[in-house]
Structure formats: structure tokens, C-alpha cells
Amino acid sequence: MKVACIIVNYNDFKTTEILVNHISNYQTIDNIIIVDNCSTNESFKRLSKFESDKIKVLRANMNNGYGAGNNIGLLYSKEKLNCDYAIIANPDVLFSENFVLKCVDFLVYTPDVGIVTGVMLNGNSEVEQQNVWSLPSACWEVFDASSILKRLFSFSKQVRTNVLVDSELEYVDVVSGSLFVLDINKFLEIGLFDEEVFLYGEENIIAIKMKRFKYKSVRILSINYNHFHSTSITKEYSKMFSRRKLMVRSKKIILRKYHKLKKWKLIILQLLLDLTLIEAALIEIIRNFKNKKIEID
């Protein structure tokens, strides 16, 4: 039984270095695979210094997004290193060796489970609940893209009903992509990450695929990890409108490919998603105006 840790880096080698240094001596991890997603800075050169028998540094030919980067690492870990389980880790997380041990053990002894994670803590070690949620409906995918609708209905993420097995374990629908452990063979069976999606919504797609193949996801409540939120899409896409465009594109793909919708309903929901772009543009204009006014005052 071999375990790999896959870390996708894009222009953020300093954060990736911290994580690699933190986990490089873990006995529970056989290989660490760093996938540089065709960074435009010196990331690949800086990260290549970690290359060893245990640590592999790969470079994508182009940046096709979060999912594509992880797929490179997953396929390499299976085809070249013959690994059975993989940790999918954002560069801006830290986790213990006990986290790996408990997640992998659960996957080994629970054949109908394909993904395991723990409780997410922020940089101050405070519990954050956003690392699991209910599988969104088609309509909720639209609500989630709108700042106004989310505030109007007091939604930040669709409230999830816990299915507790005991005090340490719960079955969940969707697991955050910040950190989770997966069974590689099961993940290959469901078709890996959807590379048509560049960013946003990958976790919901995985949850839909997992359900289709009757595999389950679990959160173990007795283990946790820190997510520092230091690697952010806002570094690369500083404007709200740019981020919203990425989100809307992904949600249109999700609606088209993963929800069985009648044509008229799909058209309406896609039009509503386009309206959220107008909303984002207006919000950004108002914010810029207020900021300029403050500077003048």
C-alpha cells in the first residue's frame, strides 16, 4: 500500500515550500508529487530543488486549471509510482501525520468510501464549517453565483444535514478541495477531475460522480487540518468580475453536463448566470467609486 501527496502550485512557490518542508519526513507518505501548473514566475526552478527519490516535481505544459493539475499528479502517482491512495492538498494547508494515517486506514477498511477528510481549521486554529456541504440543486448553482441572492436568502453555502454514524464520523455530500484523501482506483473509475472546468465547482462535480458510482465521502470529526487561505484566486484574478466570469463558466458546464435539465430550463438558468455578471460589474463599479471618494476625502 503506497500513499502519495499531490500539491498543485501556480506562482506560489513560497507557500508550497512550507507545506513540503512540513510533510517531507512523514513515514505515512511514500511520495510527494508537486505539479507546477506552468507558473509564470520562478516556481518550477525553486521547487525543483526538492527533487529526490521521494519528491517528484512535474511541470504542466500549460495551465489548464486546478483539476487538470491534480489529474497530472494522480496519473503519475498511479502509472509511475504504483500508489493506491492520494492526498489532494492545496499549498496553503498544514496537516499532521495522524491525519494521513486515520484517513488512509478508513479508506482501506471501508470499501464503499472513496474520499475522506477531517475538520477544517483556519490559521488561528478556529473551526470552519465550510469544508463540507450539501450537493447543490441546479437552481442553487445559480443562487451561489449571485452576491445579492446569497445575502437575500442568508445563504453562504447550502445548509447540509449531517448523517452522523457516531461522535467521530459523518457521511457528507461534498468535500472541499483544500484537503482530502482519496482511493486512486475509485477516482480513476469515476473519471478523475473534469478538465473542462478551469476553476470553481470541481468539488460538486466530484460529488455527483461519486454518487453515480455509489461511493461515499466521509468527514472524520476527531482529526483536523489548518487552511491558511494564503493561496487565493484573488492573487491571480484581483477583480471581482474576472473571478465571477470563471465561476459562471464553470457553473454553465455543471448545469449542462451534470444536471438532467430540460432545454428550456437550462437556457433560463444560463441566462440568470449571465445576469450575475452584470451584478458583479455593477458591484465592482460601486466599490471603486467609494474607494476613490474615500481617497479624495
Side-chain angles (χ1 to χ4, degrees), residues 8-10 35-40 59-66 68-70 72 195 198:
V8 176
N9 171 83
Y10 183 71
V35 180
D36 182 65
N37 234 356
C38 201
S39 294
T40 57
R59 191 167 194 258
N61 293 326
M62 60 186 300
N63 181 12
N64 285 321
Y66 166 85
N70 276 304
I72 291 171
E195 296 189 14
F198 183 84

Side-chain angles (χ1 to χ4, degrees), residues 241 277-287:
F241 184 75
L277 292 176
I278 298 173
E279 173 198 79
L282 290 172
I283 291 173
E284 198 158 67
I285 290 169
I286 293 168
R287 284 179 179 173

Side-chain angles (χ1 to χ4, degrees), residues 137-188:
S137 65
C139 290
W140 170 249
E141 290 285 6
V142 176
F143 289 162
D144 187 52
S146 168
S147 303
I148 294 172
L149 287 175
K150 282 195 292 188
R151 291 184 180 182
L152 182 63
F153 295 105
S154 300
F155 288 149
S156 58
K157 268 201 170 78
Q158 198 173 24
V159 177
R160 195 185 60 76
T161 303
N162 294 351
V163 182
L164 288 171
V165 176
D166 54 43
S167 60
E168 291 194 357
L169 176 66
E170 61 180 349
Y171 287 100
V172 300
D173 284 346
V174 190
V175 171
S176 166
S178 57
L179 180 68
F180 61 90
V181 184
L182 58 83
D183 182 310
I184 296 177
N185 288 327
K186 291 183 176 68
F187 212 70
L188 287 169

Side-chain angles (χ1 to χ4, degrees), residues 14-30:
K14 290 182 180 179
T15 307
T16 300
E17 286 174 342
I18 293 170
L19 176 57
V20 174
N21 284 323
H22 185 76
I23 65 173
S24 59
N25 293 322
Y26 282 9
Q27 297 300 308
T28 51
I29 298 176
D30 297 282

Side-chain angles (χ1 to χ4, degrees), residues 221-253:
L221 302 176
S222 60
I223 56 175
N224 56 59
Y225 67 95
N226 290 95
H227 187 197
F228 295 92
H229 300 282
S230 57
T231 303
S232 172
I233 186 63
T234 56
K235 289 182 179 180
E236 210 56 40
Y237 298 91
S238 58
K239 293 186 177 181
M240 179 184 180
F241 184 75
S242 300
R243 298 193 300 273
R244 185 68 62 84
K245 278 182 69 176
L246 282 177
M247 180 183 289
V248 165
R249 180 183 180 277
S250 297
K251 287 182 178 296
K252 284 184 175 181
I253 294 169

Side-chain angles (χ1 to χ4, degrees), residues 79 222 262:
E79 295 170 0
S222 60
K262 292 183 179 180

